[in-house]
Amino acid sequence: MTARVLTSRAAAIAGGALLALSPLTAQAAQAAPAPHTASTAQPARTAPAVAAKGAVLVDGATGRTLFGKEADTARPIASTAKIMAASVVLETQGVDLEKQVPVKQAYRDYVTQHGSSTADLQTGDKLTVRQLLYATLLPSGADAAYALADTFGTGATEAERTASFVSRLNAKAAELHLTHTAFDSFDGGGTDTSTPAELAKLARHAMQNETFRTIVKTKQYKGEAPAANGRTRYYTWNNTNQLLGSYDGVIGIKTGTTTPAGDCLVFAATRGDKTLIGTVLNSKDRYADAAKLLDHGFGTTTAKAMKLRALPANSQRD
């Protein structure tokens, strides 16, 4: 799919108040000197230099753009596409988050065939929809995303159901007026594309859901599921987003990495009553980029001292 390149909209406006004084008579002017008026203009913050080819930072409450770099240029988005997959599931009318879904061998085979990140779901285990959302968003499990697509799509076959689910992703994009966002997979492993600005808009929408917010801020999930042999399977999933626990106030959201997309990150942080949401696409240093952007938005200088949270040795990398 050919990315459509739009003109970036980025403007930095620094304004000051101009105080106009009424003319004084010569006599009054001699009697009292004109008062000194201090300028109320605030110096504009220097825009940070980021390695990402595309980036944006927005106010989480209003959506106002605080920083943009090719913010309206469509690029591959890798597994950040799972933000939309999770949103579609959570917004399904009457969704039962405790419904059990049997794991099919096809879900594991998909991971093997595509070299995708995995939640290592075991064939025959029964996981709840809620657990599959954790498995999709934390270790970025393509097997878990497949299970959700197969469950929430419609059709007689797995292929028909997953295609139906992808159609739902595109329908939701249209509903949200994400005109330069397109999905052709349920896990971001295809030619799925969006712009930094539209991904941030999607993230703002997704973060309105309490379950989504709870999941994406979780560093590690531990749970159990009925296994195919009648026993209990124990799962542990670590969040691939290393910005969590590394930069004060970070509350999510999702990593993504493929060869065409490079390293991508959709992130959010709250300090006090201020929430910021941002996106970096195709970055050589996505976490440093995100920290710089958050510093820019919060008016702080903590990025240089940031030390990334280490992931356990057996964790997925995405």
Side-chain angles (χ1 to χ4, degrees):
M1 179 180 296
T2 302
R4 286 164 285 188
V5 181
L6 302 181
T7 303
S8 297
R9 301 188 301 267
I13 302 175
L18 180 62
L19 181 63
L21 299 177
S22 299
L24 300 176
T25 63
Q27 181 178 1
Q30 292 173 358
H36 173 72
T37 304
S39 172
T40 60
Q42 299 295 321
R45 291 178 190 167
T46 302
V50 296
K53 292 186 177 179
V56 78
L57 182 73
V58 303
D59 185 296
T62 65
R64 182 172 66 91
T65 300
L66 306 175
F67 172 90
K69 177 181 179 181
E70 297 195 22
D72 298 313
T73 298
R75 299 183 185 279
I77 59 174
S79 288
T80 63
K82 294 184 175 86
I83 297 171
M84 179 64 91
S87 293
V88 166
V89 169
L90 287 167
E91 293 170 28
T92 298
Q93 186 174 5
V95 61
D96 179 4
L97 295 179
E98 307 313 318
K99 174 184 177 179
Q100 290 189 324
V101 177
V103 176
K104 299 179 182 178
Q105 182 62 36
Y107 307 159
R108 293 179 57 85
D109 292 343
Y110 179 87
V111 168
T112 302
Q113 292 164 4
H114 294 83
S116 308
S117 49
T118 178
D120 197 24
L121 305 183
Q122 298 298 302
T123 303
D125 287 4
K126 294 180 180 179
L127 285 83
T128 66
V129 171
R130 187 189 304 275
Q131 288 176 316
L132 289 174
L133 288 167
Y134 274 95
T136 297
L137 293 169
L138 269 62
S140 199
D143 45 357
Y146 194 158
L148 291 173
D150 191 24
T151 301
F152 287 89
T154 56
T157 65
E158 290 170 9
E160 289 176 353
R161 289 190 291 273
T162 53
S164 164
F165 186 75
V166 173
S167 295
R168 291 187 64 188
L169 305 188
N170 286 307
K172 176 59 70 172
E175 179 184 323
L176 296 176
H177 305 291
L178 308 180
T179 57
H180 304 293
T181 299
F183 299 94
D184 72 350
S185 77
F186 50 77
D187 65 335
T191 57
D192 314 84
T193 56
S194 187
T195 70
E198 290 191 357
L199 263 186
K201 184 177 181 180
L202 170 60
R204 285 184 66 226
H205 173 79
M207 291 292 277
Q208 293 175 17
N209 184 281
E210 183 179 0
T211 299
F212 184 90
R213 290 197 308 272
T214 298
I215 293 173
V216 297
K217 72 179 181 182
T218 302
K219 296 188 188 88
Q220 184 183 77
Y221 172 89
K222 290 187 176 183
E224 57 186 56
N229 61 8
R231 298 181 180 180
T232 299
R233 182 93 58 192
Y234 296 93
Y235 285 97
T236 298
W237 298 310
N238 294 296
N239 198 321
T240 58
N241 180 7
Q242 290 178 267
L243 202 62
L244 280 169
S246 303
Y247 187 98
D248 183 38
V250 169
I251 54 174
I253 297 175
K254 185 72 188 74
T255 59
T257 305
T258 61
T259 299
D263 287 356
C264 304
L265 180 66
V266 179
F267 57 94
T270 297
R271 288 187 178 181
D273 59 356
K274 188 174 188 179
T275 296
L276 302 175
I277 292 176
T279 303
V280 291
L281 297 182
N282 201 331
S283 173
K284 293 181 180 180
D285 200 345
R286 58 183 167 184
Y287 297 117
D289 281 349
K292 288 178 185 178
L293 291 175
L294 289 172
D295 270 359
H296 179 67
F298 288 127
T300 55
T301 57
T302 57
K304 291 182 180 180
M306 182 180 72
K307 294 183 179 180
L308 283 181
R309 172 178 61 93
L311 295 177
N314 61 345
S315 299
Q316 293 293 299
R317 300 296 194 273
D318 178 40

